[in-house]
Amino acid sequence: MAQDHSADAVAVAAAECQHLAATSPPTNPKTTWEGCSVLLDINDGDRLVFARLSPAATLKIGNKKCSLGPLLGCPFGSLFRVGNGPGEPCLSRCSHSTSGASDNALQAIEEESIAEDSRDNRLLIDNNTAQNLSSDDIDAMRRNGATGDEIVEALISNSATFKKKTVYSQEKYKRKKQKKYAPKVLLRKPSARSICETYFKKFPARIGFLRVDTLSLLLSMANVGVHSDVLVVDMIGGMVTGAVAERLGGTGYICSTYFGVTPYPSDIIRMFNFNSEVYSRIVHVPVSDLSKSLDDFVHSEISAKAPSMLPESAECRNSMDISEVPIQNFDLIKEKSLNNEQTSVMSDVGESQHVASILCPSGANDLELGHDTPITDKLVNKGRQAPLETMKQWKTNGFSGLIVAAPEAEVGTIVHKLLPLLAYSAPFAIYHQYLQPLAACMHNLQTSKLAISLQISEPWLREYQVLPSRTHPLMQMSSFGGYILSGIRIRNSVPSSI
Amino acid sequence: MLSLDPSKRNSLQRCICDGDLVIVYERHDRIKAVKVQKGLDFQNRFGVFKLSDWIGQPFGSKVLSNKGGFIYLLAPTPELWTLVLSHRTQILYLADISFVISYLEVVPGCLVLESGTGSGSLTTSLARAVAPSGHVYTFDFHAQRATLAREDFERNGLSSLVTVSVRDIQGEGFPEEFCGAADSVFLDLPQPWLALPSVRKMLKQDGVLCSFSPCIEQVQHSCEVLTSGFTDIRTFEVLLRTYEIREERMTTSEADHESPVGPMRKKRHCTPHDVDDSQGERTATTVTARPCQESRGHTGYLTFARLACS
């Protein structure tokens, strides 16, 4: 029985792979297509949602369930407005200029009156009596087919205090009403930057509090570029793996390595809309295989064929070399909570159930499983494995860089085991949530003389609001984006003398 | 510098050859670029190094001078190049460079326009990001600096990825041939708002612009002009705070127990291992970290914007 099941699974996986190859997007696509992953920005960053586009996909905005069909075939960066009328399509494309037209008109008045504006808020009393229109009135307007903008204008003219406000206050008031009654949806292309920013805003713990500037630093510090063979320990859902793959653009390799027998979950990779060429560069290899000597490879039983689907049986568990795993059971617990969160993020969007699980190493991403399935019964997908020839090459040449994003793991052991796999003069960047483990790790590297140019950095990022006479840093700021230990591996041997 | 030819990339197999560019690492704040040439020497405070001895060694090796001092020989990367290049202008550093490349969404195959070229610090990293199939067209209005930058790129093996031209972007805008062709544009100009109408024509739909300006007034002016034709306008500051690591010896001594003033003390732990030596002192070492006292306070503001879809 188990045999049949796995044979079916392989057949399904193969079919999915073929389908993906057939519909493989070009590098740097500019318009959406069916099945692509998009990032929807509602009301200028107030709400960010990942979605997979299909004619049947929907999204709830306010209390309206909108079809995402109109978004198919549109260029990334298109703006949509939510229609109010009962017969209207929910989302209709608009240009950026029409949505900002009323703002421009306001701006013209503003420039004239700025000089003589002596208004302030001394007479404004906050007692909820300023607005004449009731919510019933507004509903009636909606039923009669009033557009969002018309409702906003009505609210303004029915506000007793509007004229008493300063021009800036009026602008702020109008924008607030627009967000509620005339929401905008911006169709954005998922990229390392936008995916990281969205996760950092919504579910920062899932990417280990890795902020976008920290991620950028990791990529630069590890010299990720064309033809690089980058060794990666990614315990933050695939965020780093995806970002590295994006920079390699189908060349080199991302060897996503793991301690133990199960690759870490990497669902985030799916959001990048990678084509098959880029996907093929992402491979998953356990540390135990990487640490083998060159001779061992000749006699090894590593399968060079398509990924195998192994049931996670009791045998597998027992044979796991506990001493090799610096963080026991950590990944399994995280996997379960990831599964829960994943389902809740996607469920309100009606994501299509098509999941290319062959390309992701975790069985947890299959939405049909739901969060009731116990971990031990899930099929464990080992992910795409590296061909034997490639692994031999890595052994002879060494990796060109190392990135570790294991924010809650024991970082000293990881670095100690993986640094010898790098080429000499290869840079590395270790991301961690906590300073002390990195300090200890840096100290060890200094005393053992395995690396030079060691540095612990903490990135600092501050955003500004830039408006005429209203320029200042934003009121809210992220004060923490993690720490990075960077350095360069050197050849620790008897130095040559003259 | 970039492994455009996979067989030439730095690896355990690749050794330093005659003519290679090597980054000489003396200390974390003393790094130099040296071109290896048979028969020549390299001199520093540690003594004289014969360059011929470096040939045949792998990158990452430690070499000795005639006096027994040592240095490390590193393979060049865009990050190391930023630290060793000759400054003809103020340059961008790692924190700004890495953020710009991420935020501009530069990936292999992209076409990027840049002005001004300056000393080529950012340009080198842009080249890495667009390789192997993309291209960086960079413009500077200063003919001599453009020439020096072009020579640097050639020496570093980047000529197939970078084209340097002399042009006053503020006055003339970018060349017409790039209309609607640029994925990303980077501006480091004194009056970037003058170049914005041209940038609008150059960018592909949903393309990204970044303008780097040291002064807030420049940022304000640019943002006002950006409101027509651009969206998603955001301004940031990025900085790096570095930490220093020390192994501290924390002493507690019986004699000082009552004294409020004295060397820094750890919390007293009452464990059976508090064995005192003859002087009644117990020592332990801990690795401690604290921020470096001096750091860069400001480089410039980074303003990003996307070309609005019409």
Side-chain angles (χ1 to χ4, degrees):
Chain A
M1 279 288 268
Q3 281 270 353
D4 289 343
H5 183 69
S6 63
D8 281 344
V10 172
V12 167
E16 279 178 0
C17 200
Q18 244 183 350
H19 172 81
L20 204 75
T23 58
S24 202
T27 39
N28 236 352
K30 293 290 185 186
T31 53
T32 61
W33 64 95
E34 185 167 338
C36 81
S37 146
V38 299
L39 174 60
L40 298 174
D41 180 338
I42 299 160
N43 281 332
D44 288 323
D46 280 359
R47 185 174 156 214
L48 298 162
V49 181
F50 284 112
R52 204 161 280 279
L53 288 190
S54 71
T58 59
L59 171 69
K60 194 149 190 236
I61 303 176
N63 46 15
K64 249 197 148 180
K65 198 167 181 184
C66 302
S67 159
L68 294 179
L71 272 55
L72 280 168
C74 293
F76 285 110
S78 305
L79 190 65
F80 294 81
R81 287 227 109 155
V82 180
N84 268 316
E88 254 182 80
C90 193
L91 284 172
S92 48
R93 192 143 166 227
C94 65
S95 77
H96 289 261
S97 48
T98 56
S99 73
S102 18
D103 278 346
N104 287 343
L106 200 61
Q107 212 168 6
I109 308 167
E110 165 198 322
E111 274 153 24
E112 285 171 30
S113 57
I114 276 292
E116 318 105 48
D117 201 333
S118 57
R119 288 173 288 192
D120 53 34
N121 62 6
R122 72 185 87 196
L123 296 173
L124 298 177
I125 297 171
D126 188 5
N127 56 10
N128 243 356
T129 58
Q131 180 57 247
N132 276 331
L133 286 181
S134 70
S135 48
D136 287 337
D137 293 332
I138 296 170
D139 285 339
M141 284 182 76
R142 273 201 170 128
R143 269 179 270 123
N144 291 336
T147 65
D149 283 335
E150 282 166 2
I151 295 178
V152 175
E153 290 303 330
L155 283 166
I156 289 175
S157 49
N158 274 285
S159 162
T161 51
F162 189 79
K163 289 204 173 54
K164 295 187 209 157
K165 294 180 194 240
T166 65
V167 176
Y168 304 134
S169 278
Q170 289 178 345
E171 243 179 65
K172 206 167 168 179
Y173 178 90
K174 184 164 184 170
R175 273 201 202 107
K176 192 171 155 193
K177 296 302 173 193
Q178 273 176 333
K179 283 189 174 179
K180 186 165 179 192
Y181 296 104
K184 316 185 280 188
V185 178
L186 182 63
L187 177 65
R188 293 183 60 181
K189 182 174 77 167
S191 63
R193 159 207 158 168
S194 54
I195 295 172
C196 184
E197 268 192 313
T198 305
Y199 268 93
F200 191 75
K201 196 166 175 179
K202 287 180 75 161
F203 306 112
R206 289 180 60 185
I207 53 167
F209 301 93
L210 180 75
R211 203 170 55 203
V212 66
D213 57 325
T214 318
L215 174 62
S216 322
L217 278 166
L218 290 177
L219 297 170
S220 286
M221 284 168 161
N223 193 23
V224 175
V226 66
H227 298 307
S228 296
D229 287 336
V230 187
L231 182 59
V232 168
V233 175
D234 183 340
M235 293 173 65
I236 54 174
M239 184 72 250
V240 166
T241 313
V244 174
E246 195 183 58
R247 290 280 179 100
L248 291 184
T251 66
Y253 273 100
I254 304 106
C255 176
S256 180
T257 188
Y258 51 97
F259 293 84
V261 291
T262 325
Y264 308 122
S266 52
D267 314 311
I268 297 182
I269 300 179
R270 288 186 299 145
M271 311 214 173
F272 281 83
N273 289 324
F274 287 142
N275 59 23
S276 49
E277 211 184 300
V278 176
Y279 261 127
S280 65
R281 315 312 284 188
I282 304 175
V283 292
H284 303 268
V285 184
V287 175
S288 47
D289 283 350
L290 289 177
S291 310
K292 287 189 174 143
S293 77
L294 212 50
D295 292 331
D296 286 348
F297 278 124
V298 178
H299 308 293
S300 85
E301 288 167 288
I302 299 169
S303 166
K305 294 180 229 142
S308 52
M309 307 276 271
L310 304 175
E312 172 135 298
S313 60
E315 292 163 7
C316 262
R317 285 285 202 77
N318 290 340
S319 65
M320 188 163 69
D321 188 347
I322 300 296
S323 61
E324 283 217 53
V325 182
I327 22 70
Q328 295 186 32
N329 295 324
F330 169 77
D331 48 337
L332 292 180
I333 297 165
K334 203 152 187 209
E335 203 175 81
K336 183 158 186 139
S337 62
L338 269 178
N339 192 20
N340 289 344
E341 285 183 64
Q342 181 81 349
T343 320
S344 59
V345 166
M346 297 296 191
S347 60
D348 64 334
V349 176
E351 155 157 332
S352 90
Q353 302 294 298
H354 171 90
V355 171
S357 57
I358 195 175
L359 298 154
C360 280
S362 132
N365 61 10
D366 195 336
L367 293 175
E368 274 104 330
L369 291 177
H371 29 269
D372 295 315
T373 318
I375 308 269
T376 45
D377 289 358
K378 277 211 303 290
L379 291 175
V380 173
N381 189 334
K382 288 256 172 175
R384 177 178 267 103
Q385 290 162 39
L388 202 57
E389 273 314 303
T390 312
M391 293 187 54
K392 278 196 203 155
Q393 258 180 22
W394 291 339
K395 206 70 202 179
T396 33
N397 293 337
F399 287 98
S400 45
L402 166 69
I403 299 181
V404 174
E408 288 172 34
E410 207 279 279
V411 78
T413 324
I414 297 178
V415 172
H416 177 73
K417 265 212 128 72
L418 299 181
L419 214 59
L421 301 173
L422 293 182
Y424 299 126
S425 193
F428 56 88
I430 320 290
Y431 167 75
H432 211 267
Q433 264 192 79
Y434 301 106
L435 180 59
Q436 215 50 36
L438 282 189
C441 185
M442 175 164 161
H443 183 74
N444 285 339
L445 289 171
Q446 276 172 331
T447 44
S448 60
K449 299 207 193 343
L450 286 170
I452 54 167
S453 192
L454 291 162
Q455 169 142 298
I456 293 184
S457 318
E458 183 190 345
W460 186 89
L461 178 71
R462 190 189 231 183
E463 189 169 355
Y464 283 73
Q465 163 186 292
V466 181
L467 291 172
S469 310
R470 288 159 288 170
T471 297
H472 57 74
L474 291 187
M475 299 303 192
Q476 295 220 307
M477 175 174 150
S478 156
S479 52
F480 181 60
Y483 301 96
I484 301 178
L485 168 62
S486 60
I488 302 177
R489 186 201 178 192
I490 48 158
R491 187 177 170 211
N492 192 10
S493 61
V494 178
S496 71
S497 48
I498 297 177
Chain B
M1 186 175 304
L2 297 184
S3 40
L4 288 171
D5 178 357
S7 63
K8 293 222 183 89
R9 81 154 172 89
N10 178 38
S11 73
L12 295 168
Q13 303 293 301
R14 164 105 159 74
C15 291
I16 299 174
C17 307
D18 192 16
D20 271 348
L21 175 73
V22 168
I23 305 293
V24 168
Y25 182 98
E26 297 175 28
R27 237 174 50 170
H28 72 275
D29 55 353
R30 279 206 212 110
I31 318 181
K32 286 194 183 74
V34 172
K35 182 154 181 189
V36 173
Q37 273 176 291
K38 252 193 200 134
L40 291 190
D41 291 339
F42 169 70
Q43 263 195 39
N44 69 2
R45 75 208 66 239
F46 299 139
V48 178
F49 298 82
K50 285 200 164 67
L51 295 184
S52 319
D53 291 335
W54 297 3
I55 298 174
Q57 303 242 27
F59 284 101
S61 299
K62 183 176 180 179
V63 289
L64 299 186
S65 72
N66 58 348
K67 290 199 259 172
F70 65 86
I71 52 171
Y72 292 94
L73 307 177
L74 300 178
T77 64
E79 281 64 48
L80 288 171
W81 181 248
T82 291
L83 298 173
V84 302
L85 63 82
S86 88
H87 290 214
R88 280 92 64 177
T89 60
Q90 174 60 277
I91 66 168
L92 283 195
Y93 292 93
L94 174 65
D96 290 308
I97 293 175
S98 61
F99 191 66
V100 166
I101 298 202
S102 255
Y103 235 71
L104 282 181
E105 298 176 346
V106 184
V107 292
C110 277
L111 192 152
V112 182
L113 301 177
E114 178 195 28
S115 184
T117 316
S119 311
S121 175
L122 172 68
T123 325
T124 308
S125 289
L126 283 172
R128 174 179 58 190
V130 304
S133 44
H135 206 92
V136 182
Y137 293 94
T138 181
F139 304 87
D140 203 286
F141 71 157
H142 195 280
Q144 191 206 19
R145 288 207 286 261
T147 308
L148 290 171
R150 197 180 292 117
E151 285 168 5
D152 275 346
F153 299 139
E154 232 173 88
R155 257 184 262 118
N156 289 338
L158 302 178
S159 324
S160 60
L161 294 166
V162 183
T163 302
V164 187
S165 310
V166 180
R167 191 180 172 100
D168 174 13
I169 298 297
Q170 278 179 192
E172 302 173 62
F174 289 98
E176 286 298 308
E177 64 184 280
F178 298 116
C179 273
D183 294 284
S184 319
V185 176
F186 180 81
L187 298 177
D188 182 359
L189 298 169
Q191 298 166 296
W193 52 89
L194 297 176
L196 292 179
S198 170
V199 172
R200 267 181 77 178
K201 289 192 270 176
M202 300 298 132
L203 281 174
K204 283 183 186 164
Q205 66 188 4
D206 209 34
V208 195
L209 156 78
C210 175
S211 174
F212 175 85
S213 295
C215 302
I216 196 69
E217 294 85 357
Q218 294 168 306
V219 175
Q220 286 181 299
H221 200 158
S222 302
C223 286
E224 268 183 279
V225 177
L226 281 172
T227 49
S228 55
F230 290 87
T231 183
D232 208 9
I233 303 166
R234 299 177 73 174
T235 303
F236 296 93
E237 255 194 310
V238 262
L239 287 172
L240 270 188
R241 186 188 219 197
T242 50
Y243 284 75
E244 53 185 37
I245 308 296
R246 281 164 65 178
E247 194 172 14
E248 284 289 335
R249 185 155 268 117
M250 308 289 181
T251 19
T252 54
S253 119
E254 290 298 315
D256 285 336
H257 177 61
E258 300 306 326
S259 161
V261 179
M264 187 174 133
R265 253 165 258 200
K266 302 284 292 172
K267 266 205 193 120
R268 305 225 352 134
H269 297 291
C270 297
T271 71
H273 303 290
D274 277 9
V275 175
D276 303 58
D277 60 355
S278 54
Q279 287 135 328
E281 291 208 0
R282 178 174 57 86
T283 63
T285 60
T286 4
V287 174
T288 56
R290 72 157 187 214
C292 295
Q293 297 202 311
E294 296 221 356
S295 81
R296 204 165 271 136
H298 177 69
T299 51
Y301 300 99
L302 292 166
T303 302
F304 296 90
R306 305 192 89 100
L307 186 69
C309 272
S310 43

